[in-house]
Amino acid sequence: MLDTCKPKSACNLPFVYNKKINTAGTSNADVPLADPGMYQLDITLRRGQSLAARDRGGYNLMKKLKKSQLSTLKGTSDPYVKFKIGGKEVFRSKIIHKNLNPIWEEKACILVEHLREPLYIKVFDYDFGLQDDFMGSAFLDLTQLELNRPTDVTLTLKDPHYPDHYLGIILLSVILTPKEGEHRDVTMLMRKSWKRSSKDLSENEVVGSYFSVKSFFWRFQTQSLRLSDVHRKSHLWRGIVSITLIEGRDLKAMDSNGLSDPYVKFRLGHQKYKSKIMPKTLNPQWREQFDFHLYEERGGIIDITAWDKDAGKRDDFIGRCQVDLSALSREQTHKLELQLEEGEGHLVLLVTLTASATVSISDLSINSLEDQKEREEILRRYSPLRIFHNLKDVGFLQVKVIRAEGLMVADVTGKSDPFCVVELNNDRLLTHTVYKNLNPEWNKIFTFNIKDIHSVLEVTVYDEDRDRSADFLGKVAIPLLSIQNGEQKAYVLKNKQLTGPTKGVIYLEIDVIFNAVKASLRTLIPKEQKYIEEENRLSKQLLLRNFIRMKRCVMVLVNAAYYVNSCFDWDSPPRSLAAFVLFLFVVWNFELYMIPLVLLLLLTWNYFLIISGKDNRQRDTVVEDMLEDEEEEDDKDDKDSEKKGFINKIYAIQEVCISVQNILDEVASFGERIKNTFNWTVPFLSWLAIVALCVFTVILYFIPLRYIVLVWGINKFTKKLRSPYAIDNNELLDFLSRVPSDVQVVQYQELKPDPSHSPCKRKKNNLG
């Protein structure tokens, strides 16, 4: 939660700091504070000294002790530091475990517009599964810093509620540099033009964005530029860091059985990734691959920590290491064996730095697909002749975010300050904010590189708030395969769970160009994981829903078994006789090719039923009703969250229940995906299944089974020899993971817009 209390002036700050500063040089005291120029504040967080103990009852005990008794207090803390400016978090350090004199040596680069707003430093003690404990805070008055001169700063930590308590000190090194000339032309600038209305925003003025660590929103203002023909778009990140976590070697034993349950966390800036847990091993084999965005030209530091999973209690820290990307060459795969610090063992990684992907923001006047040369280049890039050129580059997505109408009122003024977030997997782009408007017009074009044609485009509208997280206004989720190119549509906004409508519609025009062969090949490899997802929580309604879904899938098998058994019991003699004759015929003439042939006939039969108008797919009202009930329960939980603090005390039970809940969801989704494959829920996948089944039928018909099994066995035995770092996968499960479950089908359904929001009708009204 961002801090809502912000000092109005540096003169009113309750805490002071000591700093080493030279009398020579330029001071900011003579610089006009209204100067619109930007400043770059480079901070090195050095270390802390004599910090307060917060673990093992240290915090509560400290409140009862006098200042003279604090030195005798025993305990420890897991400190980390937050930097805030204007009430917004701009930096968070790594956690130093069990240390009251931590050494960070971390660097942060912050763009500052107004020197009046001081830097707010907060120190917390990390508590796994609980609320982090406050360890003290201090302010740094930026107007007292000298320009272009390194300054060592010592800050004394204080607690506003206990001003007499000594909480230790934080040591920093800072340098303040003015940003002039060409630096003002950068694409992403931290600005806060709070009082500007939408009427003040012209085509070449400031574009606002908002992105935060926990709720996706850091506040920026981006300056639109007239781009040259060569650089017609401004990329928001400079490259991709592809990381493959191979294995761990000789890790430290953290459990009583002499083993560990290790997993690894990665962090690059505010991007995070958590590996799967490998149970009971000191030499885990992960074989996991993921990508980070690289925003800095000189690279960055990847923080890596290894942990031991302990059910029902705090996870044990195994060790840490770092990767300096600036030391790695581009377009080359590096194999790294990293020694874990503060622990034992090694981690083996593969790291590759590549050029930036096709991701950009531009105005409607700059449209790649309307430029004939660029359109031909895009079509050539994804033509069938370039099947094996960069298999990860499946297609091109262009999203025009035009406007929204009738949005929800979020401010006391009866208006909202809406902006839009466009997401495709882990790629997130933002529009500017239109202030005091319920019918905003953004008129922006976003382009994305498609890695998986089965991805879902998510467009979310938020209301910008100055001193707290943005308010949710509405959301739509659009599967890429359901998009009709070049058609401007009014999408009814949905609630957070995507189960029902909320107020307002958003007008989008989307174009998708992709290579069908590449998309088919990518269907058979693991899906990309989202780095930022909502944490799982215990929900009675969700548990009941998943149980009912699984029960329905199981009952299909149970009813089939009852039917077969009824044939054995001769409940209906004609039916049993027919089944007996069919059994003799099939067993006598059985060949393996008949298995995919039967599945092929089932797909074909359902396809002809659909095209003939006899669609046997029924809308699942049961799932919809349960999703609506779950939404009501979520709203009730939000109101009563303060009364449910006891959940933290039964953390172990909650974790077990969440695991059961997720297992039920996986089992139910698996059965529903198989059903939806044959029901033509996603025609692309059903056609792909037909092609695959035809190929399998022909192979099994012409090639003896023993040769097929022999080739399969040779491939399995020699796979690790041919590619030691290959990532294991199951093509069938990867295929099914692209098929939506019944819940996802309901979430992705388009709601019928109000006729008054039709674009055609709007044009006619304007003409009249």
Side-chain angles (χ1 to χ4, degrees):
M1 181 76 62
L2 294 179
D3 208 50
T4 56
C5 298
K6 181 165 70 74
K8 299 296 182 183
S9 173
C11 301
N12 299 328
L13 300 180
F15 310 135
V16 297
Y17 63 91
N18 303 317
K19 61 189 182 73
K20 302 175 184 177
I21 186 168
N22 299 326
T23 56
T26 305
S27 174
N28 292 337
D30 301 329
V31 179
L33 293 179
D35 183 10
M38 302 291 294
Y39 295 89
Q40 177 175 315
L41 180 63
D42 293 297
I43 307 175
T44 302
L45 175 61
R46 298 294 185 189
R47 63 186 185 276
Q49 291 182 359
S50 304
L51 300 185
R54 290 292 186 256
D55 293 339
R56 299 180 183 177
Y59 185 46
N60 295 327
L61 183 59
M62 185 202 70
K63 297 179 182 179
K64 303 176 183 179
L65 298 179
K66 298 179 180 179
K67 183 177 181 180
S68 60
Q69 297 174 307
L70 289 178
S71 59
T72 63
L73 181 64
K74 295 183 179 180
T76 185
S77 293
D78 304 314
Y80 67 91
V81 180
K82 290 182 181 180
F83 293 163
K84 289 187 176 183
I85 291 183
K88 306 303 176 184
E89 182 179 319
V90 294
F91 171 78
R92 179 181 296 199
S93 74
K94 62 186 178 183
I95 301 169
I96 304 297
H97 294 273
K98 300 179 181 179
N99 199 328
L100 299 182
N101 297 284
I103 299 176
W104 283 285
E105 293 296 337
E106 291 189 57
K107 295 182 179 180
C109 179
I110 304 171
L111 292 180
V112 182
E113 181 176 9
H114 299 297
L115 296 181
R116 282 196 185 95
E117 295 186 352
L119 180 68
Y120 189 19
I121 295 95
K122 275 186 163 184
V123 184
F124 291 89
D125 167 56
Y126 174 75
D127 285 328
F128 180 78
L130 303 173
Q131 182 177 0
D132 295 345
D133 295 326
F134 178 69
M135 297 179 62
S137 62
F139 293 106
L140 176 62
D141 188 354
L142 302 183
T143 62
Q144 299 301 314
L145 296 178
E146 298 179 1
L147 296 179
N148 301 310
R149 184 178 296 276
T151 306
D152 294 329
V153 180
T154 301
L155 300 171
T156 301
L157 298 176
K158 295 289 184 180
D159 188 337
H161 300 291
Y162 305 95
D164 296 333
H165 289 173
Y166 178 74
L167 302 179
I169 60 175
I170 293 292
L171 285 79
L172 310 173
S173 294
V174 298
I175 179 172
L176 187 66
T177 308
K179 305 285 289 182
E180 299 177 354
E182 61 182 15
H183 297 287
R184 299 190 184 188
D185 292 336
V186 294
T187 305
M188 303 299 287
L189 297 177
M190 292 182 61
R191 293 181 179 268
K192 289 180 273 186
S193 302
W194 308 109
K195 299 182 180 179
R196 299 185 61 184
S197 66
S198 59
K199 296 180 181 179
D200 299 327
L201 292 171
S202 63
E203 180 180 356
N204 296 313
E205 289 185 329
V206 177
V207 177
S209 305
Y210 192 80
F211 194 84
S212 168
V213 176
K214 291 187 177 178
S215 55
F216 297 167
F217 309 112
W218 281 102
R219 192 173 300 277
F220 297 97
Q221 292 294 72
T222 60
Q223 180 176 348
S224 297
L225 308 174
R226 291 191 177 276
L227 305 178
S228 63
D229 292 336
V230 178
H231 303 287
R232 300 188 63 185
K233 307 180 186 71
S234 53
H235 292 284
L236 301 188
W237 46 83
R238 300 178 180 275
I240 301 294
V241 183
S242 180
I243 303 173
T244 303
L245 174 60
I246 302 299
E247 63 184 0
R249 298 175 184 170
D250 303 322
L251 300 184
K252 186 177 181 180
M254 306 301 295
D255 297 337
S256 57
N257 58 5
L259 299 173
S260 294
D261 305 311
Y263 66 92
V264 182
K265 291 182 178 180
F266 296 81
R267 188 183 73 176
L268 177 60
H270 301 294
Q271 304 172 86
K272 299 179 181 179
Y273 178 82
K274 178 181 176 181
S275 75
K276 59 188 177 183
I277 300 170
M278 305 301 293
K280 299 179 181 179
T281 179
L282 299 180
N283 298 281
Q285 300 285 324
W286 281 287
R287 302 291 200 274
E288 295 184 47
Q289 192 275 332
F290 59 96
D291 294 337
F292 279 155
H293 294 149
L294 186 61
Y295 291 91
E296 300 181 13
E297 181 67 30
R298 61 180 180 273
I301 302 294
I302 300 178
D303 292 313
I304 306 171
T305 53
W307 300 82
D308 168 58
K309 180 66 176 177
D310 285 330
K313 58 181 180 178
R314 181 173 176 174
D315 293 349
D316 295 324
F317 177 74
I318 296 179
R320 73 170 67 251
C321 57
Q322 291 184 334
V323 176
D324 186 358
L325 298 179
S326 62
L328 303 180
S329 57
R330 302 296 181 96
E331 308 298 338
Q332 181 179 349
T333 299
H334 305 268
K335 181 181 178 182
L336 306 178
E337 296 186 10
L338 305 175
Q339 171 73 42
L340 290 177
E341 302 174 0
E342 306 175 27
E344 301 174 4
H346 297 77
L347 293 179
V348 181
L349 312 175
L350 298 180
V351 181
T352 307
L353 277 65
T354 57
S356 59
T358 311
V359 180
S360 65
I361 303 176
S362 60
D363 294 326
L364 285 180
S365 59
I366 305 176
N367 188 343
S368 299
L369 296 181
E370 290 182 357
D371 188 312
Q372 188 62 29
K373 291 184 178 180
E374 288 200 25
R375 185 179 183 87
E376 291 176 357
E377 173 62 25
I378 293 172
L379 292 174
R380 186 188 66 82
R381 189 192 312 162
Y382 302 109
S383 67
L385 300 179
R386 297 173 63 87
I387 297 175
F388 299 105
H389 178 74
N390 192 3
L391 290 177
K392 290 186 178 181
D393 187 12
V394 171
F396 173 85
L397 172 66
Q398 177 177 282
V399 183
K400 292 183 182 178
V401 181
I402 301 171
R403 67 183 185 278
E405 293 182 355
L407 295 180
M408 188 187 308
V409 174
D411 297 336
V412 293
T413 59
K415 299 289 185 179
S416 294
D417 303 321
F419 67 95
C420 196
V421 180
V422 184
E423 300 178 61
L424 184 66
N425 293 330
N426 290 301
D427 296 340
R428 296 176 181 85
L429 300 177
L430 302 89
T431 69
H432 60 279
T433 301
V434 180
Y435 294 94
K436 297 182 175 63
N437 203 321
L438 299 179
N439 302 288
E441 293 191 9
W442 292 289
N443 293 322
K444 291 295 175 184
I445 297 179
F446 300 87
T447 62
F448 295 89
N449 177 263
I450 299 176
K451 303 175 185 177
D452 190 344
I453 194 59
H454 309 286
S455 300
V456 177
L457 175 69
E458 296 181 356
V459 182
T460 312
V461 182
Y462 292 93
D463 168 67
E464 178 186 282
D465 279 326
R466 176 175 182 178
D467 296 323
R468 55 192 176 91
S469 299
D471 295 326
F472 176 86
L473 298 181
K475 182 178 183 178
V476 292
I478 309 168
L480 297 186
L481 286 173
S482 67
I483 292 173
Q484 298 179 358
N485 285 352
E487 178 182 356
Q488 181 179 331
K489 295 184 64 175
Y491 292 88
V492 178
L493 293 174
K494 295 184 177 182
N495 53 30
K496 287 184 179 180
Q497 290 76 25
L498 297 171
T499 56
T502 186
K503 192 175 181 182
V505 296
I506 186 168
Y507 290 87
L508 305 174
E509 183 177 330
I510 312 173
D511 290 274
V512 177
I513 299 174
F514 68 99
N515 185 302
V517 178
K518 286 185 181 181
S520 301
L521 295 176
R522 291 284 295 175
T523 304
L524 304 178
I525 66 175
K527 291 178 64 175
E528 180 181 5
Q529 295 185 6
K530 295 194 73 172
Y531 305 143
I532 306 178
E533 293 183 327
E534 294 184 1
E535 295 183 357
N536 292 323
R537 65 172 182 173
L538 183 60
S539 170
K540 295 180 294 183
Q541 192 68 23
L542 181 60
L543 190 65
L544 177 61
R545 186 193 78 188
N546 292 340
F547 177 77
I548 293 177
R549 290 167 59 202
M550 187 186 70
K551 181 180 178 181
R552 290 167 59 192
C553 294
V554 172
M555 288 306 299
V556 173
L557 301 178
V558 172
N559 292 333
Y562 282 153
Y563 183 85
V564 172
N565 191 59
S566 68
C567 294
F568 292 154
D569 293 339
W570 291 82
D571 293 340
S572 174
R575 185 181 63 191
S576 297
L577 180 61
F580 179 66
V581 173
L582 180 63
F583 172 77
L584 293 177
F585 177 79
V586 170
V587 171
W588 183 260
N589 297 282
F590 178 77
E591 295 290 344
L592 278 178
Y593 71 86
M594 295 180 180
I595 297 177
L597 180 60
V598 170
L599 299 177
L600 180 62
L601 292 175
L602 179 59
L603 272 169
T604 306
W605 173 255
N606 284 337
Y607 175 73
F608 282 113
L609 285 179
I610 293 172
I611 63 175
S612 62
K614 300 178 181 179
D615 190 354
N616 60 352
R617 298 175 297 177
Q618 298 179 355
R619 189 171 181 177
D620 200 335
T621 57
V622 176
V623 173
E624 290 184 4
D625 293 341
M626 296 188 68
L627 287 173
E628 292 175 359
D629 294 341
E630 181 187 341
E631 177 193 352
E632 294 175 359
E633 183 190 26
D634 289 340
D635 294 339
K636 183 178 179 182
D637 290 343
D638 292 338
K639 296 177 182 178
D640 300 337
S641 59
E642 296 181 357
K643 302 178 182 180
K644 296 185 178 181
F646 69 92
I647 290 294
N648 292 328
K649 300 179 182 179
I650 56 172
Y651 178 80
I653 300 177
Q654 173 178 326
E655 187 173 16
V656 172
C657 292
I658 288 176
S659 299
V660 174
Q661 173 180 289
N662 292 338
I663 291 173
L664 293 176
D665 177 64
E666 289 295 329
V667 174
S669 298
F670 183 81
E672 291 169 355
R673 287 185 171 116
I674 295 175
K675 179 196 69 174
N676 291 337
T677 301
F678 290 93
N679 280 349
W680 291 83
T681 301
V682 182
F684 180 93
L685 291 172
S686 297
W687 279 115
L688 183 58
I690 285 181
V691 173
L693 291 173
C694 288
V695 172
F696 294 154
T697 301
V698 173
I699 291 176
L700 292 172
Y701 181 80
F702 288 102
I703 302 177
L705 178 61
R706 61 176 59 88
Y707 296 128
I708 297 175
V709 174
L710 182 63
V711 171
W712 176 84
I714 293 174
N715 175 67
K716 281 292 183 182
F717 278 102
T718 61
K719 186 175 183 180
K720 293 298 181 183
L721 298 177
R722 290 181 283 109
S723 182
Y725 304 115
I727 299 174
D728 295 329
N729 68 295
N730 185 299
E731 289 80 4
L732 179 60
L733 294 180
D734 292 335
F735 172 87
L736 289 176
S737 67
R738 270 48 175 224
V739 182
S741 63
D742 288 353
V743 173
Q744 291 173 323
V745 170
V746 174
Q747 291 176 338
Y748 300 158
Q749 282 178 345
E750 293 182 21
L751 300 176
K752 295 182 180 179
D754 186 76
S756 62
H757 295 301
S758 173
C760 298
K761 187 172 182 179
R762 179 186 175 92
K763 292 180 180 179
K764 292 180 181 179
N765 293 337
N766 292 339
L767 291 176

